[in-house]
Every structure is written in C-alpha cells, then in structure tokens.
Amino acid sequence: MRILIFSLLTAFLLAGCNETSAPCDPRAQQRVHDLYERLLQLRDKGVMVGHQDDLMYGHAWEYEEGRSDILEVCGSYPAVIGWDLGGLELGDSCNLDGVPFGKMREAIVKADAMGCVITLSWHMRNPVTGGSSWDLSGSNVVREVLPGGAAHELYKEWTDKCIAFLKSLKDAEGNPIPVVYRPYHENTGGAFWWGALSCEPEDYISLWKWTVEYMYACGVHNLLYAYSTDIFKSEQEYMLRYPGDEWVDIMGWDAYHRPQEWDFLEGMTRMARTVSTIAAEHGKLAALTETGLESVHMDKWWTEYLLPSVRGYGLSWVLIWRNSQDMPEHFFAPFKGHKSEQDFRDMVSEEDILVLNDIN
Ligand code: BMA
C-alpha cells in the first residue's frame, strides 16, 4: 500500500513537468551520462541512503579496510557516499576532518567500483582572510574571488587544486569517475563566507557560473552539479541564488534536526514538497543533500522522522552526515550497539529505501 502511495505521489509530482533528460554539461563524459540515466531509473525505485565519509572512519574507529558503520548496522554499504575537499586548497595532505587525500582518492575509486554514487562538497577556507569557511570577516569575499577581484588569482589556484584532484579520480579502465559536485552549499544559511549573510545573490550566481565554466575550460567533464540550500521558508528563497537550468543537475537542500529550533517533520515535508515540485518543473533531479540529528538521541528517529521526510517526493537520495572518529557525540548515523540500530534497519528494509545492496 505504501509503495502504491509512493508511486502515485511520485507520478503526480512528475506529471506534466519538463523531462529530465541529460547532464547540464554539454560535453559530459559517457560515464556521467550513464550515472544520470541510472539516477533517473533509481528514482522510480526509491530513495538512496548516503553517508558522509562512510569508508574512512566511523564512531570510535578510523581507516580500517572494508569497515563502515552503515554496513555493520544493516549489512550493506550505503548507496551514496560523500567526501569533503576542505584543506585541499592549501595543499594540505589531509582534509579538515583529518582524512588523507590519498586515502580519500583510493576510497572513491573503491566506492565507484562497488557501484556507489560519489558526492563531493568543499568546506574551503576564506580566501580573503585565510580563516576557515565559517570565517565571515572580510567584506564581500565572493566578489573578491570573481574575475577582477583581489583574491581571484588565489582562488583560481585553489580551484586548480580541486581540478587536479577531480582529474586524478580514475576507474580501472582509466575513465574519469563521475562525481556529484556540490560546491557553495547551504547558500540560504549564514554559516559560510558564500552564504546569504555574506554575499548578494547575483555575486553567488556569478561565482557558480565562473566555477562551472572554469571546470569546462580546464577539461573537467566528469561532474554532475548539485545546488543546495540550507533550510528555507519559501520557493522564492530557495530560488534566489539558483544559477539557472543550464548550470545545475540536482536541486537539493541541507537540513538538520535541531528540536529546540524548528519543527522538523512539518518543515521537512514542506521543503521536500517544494524542492521536488521545483525540480520537476525545471527537469532536474532532487535530493536531501545533508541531514541528521546529532547523536541520534531518539530511538525511532529513522522511521518516525527521516522516513516520512523523504518518502514519496521523488528524491534521489538522502545524505546522512558523518560519524566522527574522535568526537564521541558528533555522529549522525547509527553504529553497532547504538540504540537506534534496529530502527535504522527497519527504515532500510522498506522497499523504497535503498542501500547499496538494493541498487546493484
Ligand atoms: C561539520 C562538522 C565539522 C566538520 C565539517 C566538515 O558539519 O561535522 O566537524 O569539520 O562539517 O566536514
């Protein structure tokens, strides 16, 4: 019955909308087209479950070959895995969470070979102040990194480092691995130097377009581009920084459950409805690009909160944030022995909730 309702809702949402047909990059490589096609097919099957840094570390462990908190809880790796490039811009050997870029590359190659969808974000430093991505000092940083701005040359060098990393991701046949690239995330929020508190919408859009064009100019054609806001109040707010259909493949949003701050269920179902409707109108895929309840202190969070927030909207995936290896309270997915373990299994045992075993 639930599946029927899910299918009907999805069919309703997609009816009369622009056909989602191809990646926005006119020169996207074959594997990107294949990924896109696969995402379209899987969207009819259900919502994929993703986890940030899943193969690198988990709650109280790190860098153990084959290990994954999600695997240990439900018997399958997640279908989607996220990594973050923060730190790459400085030439650091490890990212901001201590992940060596060499190990990250190896794990991406492995995840791709296993059939996972790969997504990358970038908590890059503030190129004007040298502070972290959360450093909001330095006025108009986005304008300064655009052509003509004081930090443009430096920013180009940073982007070159990202490009070198992207180009180093090759499968066993030597083809570039397709990646869902999700830059400048949570743009309606105030946390980052590219966020709503720190730049004008037109500057954000210029930065997005410059980035995509620079990727093309440097011969990067292995990406799907994901646009993601933070929590938002309206369609207008969601679209304020949207660069346009020819620059984006996936429309997403990030939203964390902070019980003191907002009504998660009410807000999530509203946002899921809005994003999936807009995405369908624009012929784009949709996803919940980051979420979680830190420390998962509700035993049934998965079936009572996450499941109703993602099911039935035609979302391609939900990415659960990381399980820190060294901050015991900073985890968003269950691990072996955690009290929400059974509930997580109940969620992923639903036919329309997909882990890696369900999509291969
Ligand atoms: C945040 C936290 C930080 C981390 C950052 C980038 O949400 O998890 O600890 O450094 O993401 O991964």
Side-chain angles (χ1 to χ4, degrees), residues 15-16 206 213 226 229 290 295-296 333 346:
S206 298
E213 281 184 334
T229 66
E290 276 185 41
S295 297
V296 203
D346 290 345

Side-chain angles (χ1 to χ4, degrees), residues 238-269:
Y238 184 84
M239 291 304 279
L240 193 58
R241 290 170 173 76
Y242 183 65
D245 290 348
E246 59 289 30
W247 307 91
V248 169
D249 295 298
I250 293 132
M251 298 176 95
W253 84 106
D254 293 7
Y256 287 86
H257 190 175
R258 298 191 176 103
Q260 316 303 332
E261 294 175 20
W262 58 293
D263 181 337
F264 188 79
L265 267 183
E266 182 275 321
M268 286 301 258
T269 45

Side-chain angles (χ1 to χ4, degrees), residues 311-323:
R311 160 180 271 167
Y313 298 103
L315 300 179
S316 288
W317 70 84
V318 44
L319 183 81
I320 301 160
W321 202 240
R322 68 197 195 99
N323 282 6

